[in-house]
């Protein structure tokens, strides 16, 4: 029932603290050449990380798994890619793929494939929030994802989604 679900609302202080922590982890492992944000929600964290890391090359790609905006939005059977060419050529690049939230893990997995197909030599992932209750990839999130901000069990509302 909708009233029984867990809803986590994050503020800008939460997001900037997460960005700073992830940036420290990334920096310790080597600053990437390129950041790729997953449109739409992953672009805001990607830009925050780009500034924190001093990376000027930021790209975006649209990979959607939800069919609409809003709490408990339905998901399509598989992530839908729009204009994969927006990644450009990533031949030999060290790429950090950034998204705001990972649920099932399908969108991240599909986007990693796209980045590798574009020629990236190294692909790491930074996910600000993992919805552990929805995860269904063969590996646990901590094994499948490189940098994780936090875990929740339920729907997340980010500050850029709030009126």
């Amino acid at each position: 029932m909708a009233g029984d679900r867990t809803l986590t609302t994050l503020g800008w202080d939460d997001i900037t603290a997460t960005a700073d922590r992830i940036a420290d982890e990334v920096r310790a492992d080597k600053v990437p050449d390129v950041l790729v944000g997953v449109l739409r929600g992953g672009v805001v964290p990607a830009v925050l990380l780009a500034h924190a890391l001093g990376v000027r090359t930021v790209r975006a790609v649209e990979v959607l798994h939800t069919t609409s905006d809003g709490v408990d939005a339905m998901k399509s059977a598989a992530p839908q890619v729009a204009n994969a060419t927006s990644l450009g050529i990533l031949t030999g690049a060290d790429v950090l793929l950034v998204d705001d939230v990972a649920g099932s893990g399908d969108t991240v997995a599909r986007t990693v494939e796209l980045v590798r197909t574009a020629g990236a030599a190294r692909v790491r992932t930074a996910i600000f929030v993992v919805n552990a209750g929805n995860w269904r990839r063969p590996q646990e999130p901590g094994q499948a994802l490189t940098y994780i901000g936090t875990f929740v069990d339920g729907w997340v509302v980010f500050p850029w989604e709030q009126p």
Side-chain angles (χ1 to χ4, degrees):
M1 293 177 58
D4 295 337
R5 72 174 170 268
T6 301
L7 182 69
T8 301
T9 302
L10 299 176
W12 284 109
D13 289 344
D14 302 312
I15 296 303
T16 56
T18 299
D20 289 342
R21 189 168 36 77
I22 290 174
D24 287 343
E25 292 177 33
V26 171
R27 216 178 276 108
D29 193 25
K30 186 178 179 285
V31 173
D33 304 314
V34 179
L35 274 75
V36 172
V38 179
L39 286 168
R40 292 183 316 189
V43 174
V44 174
V47 169
L48 289 172
L49 283 174
H51 282 282
L53 294 168
V55 175
R56 294 186 56 89
T57 306
V58 179
R59 300 196 184 153
V61 64
E62 186 176 357
V63 182
L64 296 174
H65 205 359
T66 54
T67 58
S68 65
D69 291 333
V71 176
D72 292 331
M74 297 293 297
K75 290 191 175 212
S76 57
Q80 304 299 305
V81 179
N83 191 16
T85 60
S86 65
L87 289 171
I89 298 169
L90 297 171
T91 304
D94 180 349
V95 176
L96 181 63
L97 173 66
V98 184
D99 207 353
D100 56 350
V101 66
S104 66
D106 292 348
T107 299
V108 166
R110 179 66 180 112
T111 310
V112 166
E113 290 174 11
L114 293 172
V115 171
R116 285 191 176 129
T117 299
R122 181 181 189 198
V123 182
R124 293 175 280 166
T125 58
I127 307 300
F128 274 50
V129 178
V130 173
N131 182 342
N134 287 348
W135 190 263
R136 65 172 191 231
R137 305 298 302 167
Q139 294 178 307
E140 291 298 316
Q143 297 168 322
L145 304 171
T146 317
Y147 312 104
I148 297 171
T150 192
F151 289 90
V152 299
D153 190 8
W155 196 267
V156 180
V157 178
F158 292 92
W160 50 88
E161 299 172 322
Q162 299 170 34

